[in-house]
Amino acid sequence: MSTPQPAVETRSMVVARGVRKSYGAHEVIKGVDLEVAPGEVLCLLGPSGSGKSTFLRCINHLEQIDAGWISVDGELVGYREHRGRLYELRDAEIARRRSEIGMVFQQFNLFPHLSVLENLMQAPLRVRREAAGPVRERSLALLDRVGLADKAGAYPRQLSGGQQQRVAIARALAMQPKLMLFDEPTSALDPELVGEVLDVMRGLADDGMTMVVVTHEIGFAREVADTVAFLDGGVVVEAGPPSQVFDAPQHERTRAFLARVL
């Protein structure tokens, strides 16, 4: 796959240039350019089918892009460049780079046969081969951080949906990622449980975690995001600070979308 220019922009945590992705004849992402600086929060908004979740999955190479490139912390994601072309990395190197990117999905994807604490400890022990003592200590501290210190010995089936999603966030943080990706993390929750998950995410933003969040929670995006990008039809229609995008949108498509959701 060819790349239009060398992907070396270390000032930004995430850089996407000319990203395209198709499924057969259907092009889902049609040349997306975005950047996220270290410590910033980017919220991706848009109607269903606009390419938000697909783009998010491209950031950690869960989806292979068809054109363009993405870098995280100065390293290409999933590929290496040689003489103007991109070549996919070996599975082990992809896994190494992916381990530095935490991801939280709509569904919680916890291991049902493991306790909450064991869910947090699995990846550091198995992927990073870390010593059990420090991993356990870090995992307990993370459970305390998300307000679930008393649930270390519980199993996922014993938790509410909001509690399970907070465990999923803590599990991603247990790998000490440099970037967190959230794919509509509250969409599967009952309305009264949404706030507890968003509170954890606010705390991460306050602590300076770099985050890319696909969300329909407009209030959260207005409060926490440094940049809001509105996607439609696989392109970034409009991007800017929340005050600009929400209060003075420049594009008619953005205005029509916000009129329905605000």
Side-chain angles (χ1 to χ4, degrees):
M1 184 174 67
S2 62
T3 179
Q5 55 183 310
V8 181
E9 297 189 28
T10 56
R11 292 170 297 175
S12 296
M13 179 61 72
V14 181
V15 181
R17 290 286 181 267
V19 174
R20 292 180 175 271
K21 173 65 182 177
S22 297
Y23 297 103
H26 178 48
E27 190 172 31
V28 179
I29 303 176
K30 305 174 182 178
V32 166
D33 297 321
L34 283 171
E35 289 190 41
V36 188
E40 287 192 346
V41 178
L42 168 65
C43 283
L44 303 178
L45 306 179
S48 297
S50 60
K52 309 181 301 298
S53 293
T54 299
F55 175 71
L56 196 76
R57 292 169 63 87
C58 289
I59 294 177
N60 65 357
H61 203 62
L62 287 177
E63 297 285 354
Q64 296 177 325
I65 62 177
D66 298 319
W69 52 265
I70 301 173
S71 68
V72 173
D73 199 21
E75 287 191 315
L76 285 170
V77 174
Y79 300 92
R80 62 179 176 85
E81 187 214 351
H82 181 66
R83 295 182 178 178
R85 293 188 64 83
L86 296 184
Y87 299 88
E88 191 168 19
L89 296 170
R90 294 177 179 176
D91 289 346
E93 181 61 18
I94 291 173
R96 181 192 71 78
R97 297 188 184 184
R98 188 180 287 149
S99 72
E100 299 177 336
I101 304 171
M103 186 159 186
V104 178
F105 300 88
Q106 297 177 34
Q107 302 300 324
F108 321 124
N109 297 323
L110 301 176
F111 296 114
H113 63 291
L114 298 180
S115 71
V116 165
L117 180 60
E118 290 168 338
N119 264 278
L120 266 65
M121 294 178 65
Q122 279 293 293
L125 292 177
R126 294 179 175 270
V127 177
R128 293 253 175 94
R129 305 293 183 184
E130 295 184 52
V135 170
R136 178 183 175 86
E137 184 176 342
R138 183 166 77 240
S139 298
L140 289 171
L142 286 168
L143 288 177
D144 184 58
R145 179 177 183 175
V146 300
L148 295 171
D150 61 334
K151 300 295 185 181
Y155 286 82
R157 65 180 179 274
Q158 298 172 308
L159 305 179
S160 70
Q163 290 172 328
Q164 290 188 61
Q165 192 62 295
R166 282 186 281 159
V167 172
I169 294 172
R171 182 178 62 177
L173 293 172
M175 289 291 282
Q176 300 177 298
K178 59 182 67 174
L179 168 68
M180 285 287 288
L181 309 177
F182 293 87
D183 187 7
E184 298 191 35
T186 61
S187 65
L189 300 179
D190 292 334
E192 65 268 21
L193 302 178
V194 169
E196 62 191 49
V197 173
L198 295 181
D199 283 345
V200 171
M201 295 171 65
R202 288 187 186 94
L204 291 177
D206 289 342
D207 289 345
M209 173 63 72
T210 310
M211 299 160 56
V212 181
V213 184
V214 173
T215 184
H216 292 293
E217 300 290 341
I218 302 299
F220 172 82
R222 182 188 290 273
E223 176 187 352
V224 175
D226 296 284
T227 302
V228 172
F230 172 67
L231 279 70
D232 189 37
V235 300
V236 178
V237 175
E238 188 165 348
S243 58
Q244 173 194 314
V245 174
F246 292 135
D247 299 332
Q250 302 299 302
H251 197 282
E252 175 55 37
R253 184 67 188 89
T254 313
R255 291 194 289 270
F257 174 79
L258 293 175
R260 290 200 303 272
V261 300
L262 290 178

